[in-house]
Amino acid sequence: MLPRVMEVVLVAALALPPVIAGGEERTLERGELLYETHCIACHDREVHWRDGRLVSDWRSLRAEVRRWQAMASLGWTDDEIDEVARFLQLHHYRNLAPD
């Protein structure tokens, strides 16, 4: 009986969404939510791949997120800026040069 209970508990735990555990998954979800709520109207996927882009490393990516949120008067915190930058790094800027 006990092994069956442990099996059920393990399956249930694995079925839970990763955001419940917190950490990086929650940060990426928050960054994605902020980006899709406030930025996607002007920034489709093409803007991140154009020639002459200003982002080349983590510092410049974070600076661009900070600049554009300020231009839009969003008032994001440093954590929110980092969350959006991390989301963008994962989905659009995978090959950034190290700082």
Side-chain angles (χ1 to χ4, degrees), residues 6-89:
M6 290 174 59
E7 182 181 342
V8 170
V9 170
L10 179 60
V11 169
L14 292 174
L16 294 174
V19 72
I20 290 177
E24 187 69 20
E25 292 87 7
R26 173 162 276 155
T27 297
L28 291 175
E29 274 195 3
R30 175 76 172 145
E32 181 177 15
L33 178 63
L34 288 167
Y35 180 82
E36 289 182 358
T37 301
H38 299 287
C39 309
I40 200 72
C42 297
H43 289 273
D44 63 7
R45 186 171 181 85
E46 301 292 318
V47 75
H48 300 290
W49 300 109
R50 67 178 183 228
D51 292 334
R53 68 181 183 181
L54 300 174
V55 172
S56 60
D57 57 18
W58 171 253
R59 191 170 299 148
S60 61
L61 174 56
R62 193 171 184 280
E64 284 301 298
V65 172
R66 179 178 297 284
R67 180 170 77 99
W68 283 105
Q69 72 81 31
M71 290 185 74
S73 301
L74 297 174
W76 287 349
T77 65
D78 286 341
D79 286 342
E80 290 169 326
I81 290 167
D82 285 345
E83 290 166 357
V84 172
R86 275 193 279 282
F87 165 75
L88 290 172
Q89 182 179 16

